[in-house]
Amino acid sequence: MALWRRSSSWLTSCSRAPAGIVGGNEAKVSPEVAPEDAPDRRQEEEGEADEERWSRLLPELLTDIVRRVDAGAERWPPRRDVVACACACRRWRDAAVSVVRPPLECGRITFPSSLKQPGPRDAPMHCFIRRNKSTSTFYLYLSLTQALTDKGKFLLSARRFRHGAHTEYIISYDSDDLYPGSNSGVGKLRSDFLGTKFIMYDNQKPYDGAKSLKSRSSRRFATKQISPNDSGSNLEVGQVSYRFNFLKSRGPRRMHCSIQCPVDQGSASDPSKETPQSTSSSLSLKNKAPRWHDHLQCWCLNFHGRVTVASVKNFQLVAPAGTSDPWGVGDEETVILQFGKIEDDAFTMDFRYPLSAYQAFAICLTSFGTKLACE
């Protein structure tokens, strides 16, 4: 993420007069009394010179270079070379954006913007979450190997706050900056009094047609608190609810999700051209019903080896059959998102199209915490 913050100078192009020239040809500043901003000016001038040197390549050659780097770096950490290319200058960034395909097409996460794009369609993307109970923080990593956990590539983080009877999660691109007013904020998650209903907010429009909230409750989460650079208002992109279990009948938690997901209106044949606009539609998900195992005396689901510890937090989400399904996933057999425990503070998270990494992470965060009314 540091590369992206440092690369904010791509879009800045300022021409300044050399230090020491005030008017005419007289040098009014001696070396002993240098202006305070002289080092900053020199750095800006050097940066402009470097950017001009990098941008001199022919467009065809530049695109071919980025394409070769992209093809040779299929996994992280080598994939950071693609991000480094995008950080060279604005022309290199434009070339990288046109070459690198979204996760839906290539099955890889490259740029921060990929975290809000739908995941791959053919196979789930394997991730894992680490929890720190002492600080109420959660960290999402992309799995780099077939192991359940490894060093991982950091993707997102979240921190839980208590505001009276309510619980809020701040979700961020930064693993350390997890406070209200953070510039690296992605969105928020807010629960009701009982912790059985959660509303997911985004600080930017993830697709055309996303609706901003103007209600009294939404004004408590002004987008300026999430990202001061965004002048818009909060955008509700999903809800997660857990069904009450007043009779205390045996069985796992029952959850229902309604997530706003983009529906593509065709596809672009030329990557260099503008991608077609998308409209949104509500994706309904419910947890897959487990079966009772007489020998083990417990409820069981087939996680295909990705979950190793029994927990009430474990779940699989599927799209109910017979619902409106422009994504082609409503068969109750295709698992859109699965989440499960593997260690005391480690959990796997596997998601696929049409959910994004951000949406999947937010849904999994709702599983943490005690829900006495649902168990």
Side-chain angles (χ1 to χ4, degrees):
M1 296 304 138
L3 287 172
W4 283 94
R5 293 195 198 92
R6 193 168 55 212
S7 63
S8 60
S9 60
W10 306 346
L11 308 179
T12 304
S13 178
C14 303
S15 58
R16 299 179 180 269
I21 303 298
V22 177
N25 294 322
E26 297 180 356
K28 298 296 184 181
V29 181
S30 63
E32 290 79 7
V33 192
E36 295 182 357
D37 62 342
D40 296 335
R41 291 185 179 182
R42 285 196 296 270
Q43 290 179 0
E44 290 182 3
E45 292 169 0
E46 292 174 358
E48 293 170 7
D50 290 341
E51 181 171 339
E52 181 180 359
R53 182 165 56 250
W54 282 104
S55 62
R56 288 175 182 172
L57 290 176
L58 294 174
E60 296 79 5
L61 178 59
L62 175 57
T63 302
D64 183 64
I65 292 175
V66 176
R67 185 176 290 112
R68 289 173 181 266
V69 174
D70 178 65
E74 294 187 355
R75 290 180 173 271
W76 289 88
R79 194 138 189 86
R80 60 187 165 195
D81 294 341
V82 181
V83 180
C85 288
C87 292
C89 67
R90 181 164 186 166
R91 285 192 61 195
W92 280 69
R93 183 199 65 177
D94 294 341
V97 170
S98 66
V99 169
V100 177
R101 309 314 300 148
L104 175 60
E105 300 179 21
C106 68
R108 297 188 294 264
I109 291 178
T110 305
F111 303 126
S113 59
S114 304
L115 298 174
K116 291 189 178 181
Q117 296 173 341
R121 187 190 299 269
D122 298 331
M125 186 169 287
H126 292 170
C127 304
F128 62 92
I129 297 174
R130 291 197 178 277
R131 174 181 60 180
N132 188 328
K133 291 182 179 179
S134 61
T135 59
S136 297
T137 51
F138 308 84
Y139 303 93
L140 175 66
Y141 296 88
L142 176 68
S143 297
L144 303 181
T145 65
Q146 294 299 321
L148 295 180
T149 59
D150 46 39
K151 292 184 178 179
K153 166 68 177 73
F154 171 78
L155 299 179
L156 290 169
S157 61
R159 185 174 182 181
R160 181 171 56 202
F161 292 89
R162 296 289 300 182
H163 288 278
H166 301 278
T167 301
E168 301 171 7
Y169 292 83
I170 291 180
I171 305 176
S172 173
Y173 287 123
D174 197 309
S175 60
D176 299 318
D177 193 3
L178 290 168
Y179 297 93
S182 167
N183 287 330
S184 58
V186 183
K188 277 191 176 184
L189 187 69
R190 183 176 188 260
S191 74
D192 63 356
F193 174 75
L194 295 175
T196 57
K197 183 178 180 180
F198 296 80
I199 300 178
M200 189 189 313
Y201 297 98
D202 198 331
N203 67 339
Q204 291 180 351
K205 285 190 176 183
Y207 42 78
D208 293 340
K211 297 180 179 180
S212 61
L213 296 184
K214 301 297 183 181
S215 64
R216 180 178 178 181
S217 61
S218 68
R219 288 198 295 269
R220 288 172 53 87
F221 304 93
T223 306
K224 292 182 179 180
Q225 294 180 349
I226 301 176
S227 177
N229 297 326
D230 192 337
S231 60
S233 58
N234 276 311
L235 300 165
E236 182 180 334
V237 294
Q239 294 187 7
V240 180
S241 59
Y242 290 81
R243 185 176 300 179
F244 290 106
N245 185 13
F246 293 111
L247 300 179
K248 299 297 180 181
S249 58
R250 298 174 63 184
R253 297 171 177 173
R254 289 176 291 179
M255 57 189 299
H256 176 269
C257 304
S258 178
I259 309 297
Q260 294 295 321
C261 296
V263 179
D264 293 333
Q265 303 296 314
S267 59
S269 58
D270 186 354
S272 64
K273 295 182 180 180
E274 184 178 358
T275 56
Q277 295 182 345
S278 299
T279 58
S280 66
S281 184
S282 179
L283 171 67
S284 295
L285 299 173
K286 68 174 185 178
N287 63 305
K288 190 174 183 179
R291 60 180 180 84
W292 178 256
H293 198 290
D294 292 330
H295 179 70
L296 299 177
Q297 290 295 300
C298 64
W299 297 94
C300 296
L301 277 172
N302 185 7
F303 288 95
H304 302 281
R306 294 283 296 165
V307 177
T308 58
V309 179
S311 172
V312 70
K313 299 178 177 64
N314 302 346
F315 66 81
Q316 290 180 331
L317 293 183
V318 296
T323 58
S324 177
D325 180 26
W327 306 277
V329 294
D331 57 7
E332 293 196 11
E333 293 298 327
T334 302
V335 176
I336 308 299
L337 170 64
Q338 76 172 20
F339 172 78
K341 192 173 185 178
I342 52 176
E343 297 175 8
D344 187 30
D345 290 310
F347 306 79
T348 56
M349 185 195 88
D350 302 338
F351 72 98
R352 66 194 305 163
Y353 176 85
L355 290 182
S356 66
Y358 167 68
Q359 292 171 331
F361 185 44
I363 293 174
C364 292
L365 289 175
T366 68
S367 186
F368 293 100
T370 304
K371 297 175 175 57
L372 297 178
C374 306
E375 299 171 359

